[in-house]
Amino acid sequence: MTEPRSGRVGLFLGGDVMTGRGIDQILPHPCAPDLYERWVQHADDYVALAERRNGPIARPVSFSYIWGDALDELATRRPDARIINLETSVTTSTSYEAAKGIHYRMNPRNLPCIGAAGIDCCVLANNHVLDWGVEGLLETLASLDAASISRAGAGRDQAEAARPAVLPLQGGGRLLVFAFALGSSGVPASWAATAERPGVNYLPDAAERRLERIAAAVNDHRRPGDLILVSIHWGGNWGYEIPEHHVALAHGLVDHAGVHVVHGHSSHHPLAVEVYRGAPVLYGCGDLLNDYEGIRGYEAFRSDLTFLYFPVLDAAGGALTAFELVPFRIRRLRLNRCSESEVHWLAGRLDEQGARFGVRVSEQPGHLSLHWEPGA
């Protein structure tokens, strides 16, 4: 946390951080490389694909390596809270979920790579946190706790999975982070936490009737002056269409649960951002870190291009006052500054998508700025 900023709270929000497989292999303490995918049986193959595409990676890399140029941006902006969706089981478990075709696993001894970026909270409500079974989930929970990194969206039972992460803010305020996983993102219903079983904070769908449950959870924990962020893993991996039921749920969270930020993820590339009644709604943050370099298919979506999201909220009422996005390119399994042409391409895609919601994008030196109607 940083020194207090008078009247405002700056956040860093990231999309899916997938530090398993190839990324785990280049870090100082890789898991056994065995995979159980249809086409790939060795995690080092993902490293080889990245090297074939963009050049050699000297191993082992430092824990900070994967963040690359993003570390300078975080150091300059000094956000008050840093939140990512950690889409990787932190475990050495070998009990992989046979019904799933992809399994992400990072050795707990490599968890300092998350600490290297000063991450305050890892969202775990996603479709990979149980890739290595309940054993893997329990080790993930214990590893994050031992590292003093807050978490939300999964737990040893439903009560723990539903409990928000509570992030103290300088000056006495709090940011509460609630996290939910929807079935539409590929989360099996069997992963839902129950009173007797560890799992994720699961919602079968985005129907508006789910709002009563979410609003009740928020109201059970909120205190006067709290800022509320709801993080949701929803929808498919590819395509720019945003389902109407996602829009309805996001609006309902603001209208009925008093949510100040909706942090959506699952898409492998960035989707539109809306500002609804002063609350930013990120419909899909895209992958922040992955090991997809060299994998062919879906190139038109440029999943190698990503953003660090920096919304700024009014500390008193929680309304959005500014929103900047800093673009990066994943290259050699790390975050690198984008070229001018890549920044321009991203700005065009985001502006095109945001027009539906009255949000426009302008290119500034080193970042993009969002613009919206004040009454939106």
Side-chain angles (χ1 to χ4, degrees):
M1 299 296 178
T2 64
E3 291 301 312
R5 278 75 171 281
S6 176
R8 72 188 192 100
V9 174
L11 305 179
F12 157 54
L13 304 179
D16 299 349
V17 172
M18 307 160 90
T19 49
R21 294 194 321 194
I23 290 179
D24 179 65
Q25 291 302 300
I26 67 171
L27 290 168
H29 309 288
C31 286
D34 307 279
L35 296 178
Y36 304 92
E37 302 175 8
R38 181 177 181 184
W39 303 112
V40 181
Q41 285 75 50
H42 201 284
D44 270 328
D45 290 351
Y46 287 102
V47 182
L49 285 170
E51 291 181 320
R52 191 178 307 157
R53 181 73 174 269
N54 290 312
I57 302 170
R59 290 191 265 175
V61 300
S62 68
F63 290 124
S64 61
Y65 169 86
I66 59 176
W67 299 99
D69 297 330
L71 289 179
D72 287 340
E73 195 68 39
L74 290 167
T76 298
R77 290 177 177 266
R78 300 185 302 118
D80 297 290
R82 307 179 186 203
I83 300 157
I84 62 169
N85 175 49
L86 181 60
E87 201 164 11
T88 299
S89 186
V90 184
T91 183
T92 56
S93 168
T94 58
S95 302
Y96 70 96
E97 290 277 308
K100 293 197 78 226
I102 301 293
H103 308 92
Y104 286 104
R105 174 179 61 172
M106 176 176 70
N107 192 318
R109 294 173 66 195
N110 283 333
L111 192 56
C113 74
I114 302 301
I119 301 303
D120 295 300
C121 178
C122 289
V123 169
L124 301 179
N126 57 60
N127 62 313
H128 285 292
V129 74
L130 272 146
D131 280 356
W132 297 87
V134 169
E135 177 186 342
L137 172 61
L138 294 176
E139 190 171 11
T140 300
L141 302 177
S143 298
L144 289 168
D145 291 347
S148 298
I149 299 174
S150 296
R151 52 183 172 79
R156 297 171 182 86
D157 55 30
Q158 172 54 26
E160 185 178 344
R163 191 177 304 141
V166 180
L167 306 183
L169 300 172
Q170 293 288 345
R174 305 192 308 170
L175 175 68
L176 304 189
V177 179
F178 295 82
F180 299 86
L182 268 67
S184 61
S185 67
V187 179
S190 61
W191 284 15
T194 69
E196 296 80 27
R197 183 186 187 279
V200 301
N201 196 22
Y202 180 77
L203 292 178
D205 54 51
E208 290 185 71
R209 63 180 179 274
R210 310 295 175 196
L211 284 170
E212 184 176 343
R213 169 184 162 186
I214 298 174
V218 170
N219 290 329
D220 282 346
H221 292 276
R222 94 184 314 150
R223 298 176 187 168
D226 283 346
L227 298 179
I228 308 297
L229 182 148
V230 170
S231 192
I232 311 180
H233 205 61
W234 56 4
N237 296 145
W238 304 103
Y240 292 110
E241 181 179 356
I242 297 171
E244 288 299 332
H245 53 274
H246 286 191
V247 177
L249 179 60
H251 290 184
L253 289 172
V254 178
D255 291 336
H256 303 297
V259 170
H260 300 105
V261 180
V262 179
H263 173 222
H265 35 82
S266 181
S267 60
H268 286 323
H269 52 87
L271 299 181
V273 177
E274 179 183 14
V275 180
Y276 175 71
R277 297 185 60 188
V281 179
L282 287 66
Y283 284 105
C285 291
D287 292 345
L288 182 55
L289 283 163
N290 62 36
D291 63 353
Y292 292 175
E293 287 175 68
I295 299 175
R296 301 205 173 273
Y298 302 104
E299 286 92 342
F301 294 104
R302 292 301 305 268
S303 65
D304 60 324
L305 301 182
T306 187
F307 288 117
L308 303 189
Y309 295 83
F310 292 104
V312 177
L313 309 180
D314 173 65
L320 184 70
T321 61
F323 201 154
E324 294 179 349
L325 296 80
V326 181
F328 288 89
R329 179 188 175 195
I330 304 170
R331 183 176 181 273
R332 296 172 65 209
L333 304 182
R334 73 189 292 271
L335 293 173
N336 303 270
R337 295 282 182 182
C338 285
S339 67
E340 287 187 16
S341 63
E342 289 167 338
V343 172
H344 185 69
W345 187 90
L346 280 167
R349 298 293 78 70
L350 204 62
D351 188 67
E352 184 179 84
Q353 297 173 61
R356 167 185 174 183
F357 301 108
V359 173
R360 308 314 299 250
V361 176
S362 66
E363 296 180 47
Q364 308 293 333
H367 68 270
L368 306 180
S369 291
L370 297 191
H371 307 276
W372 62 93
E373 292 297 325

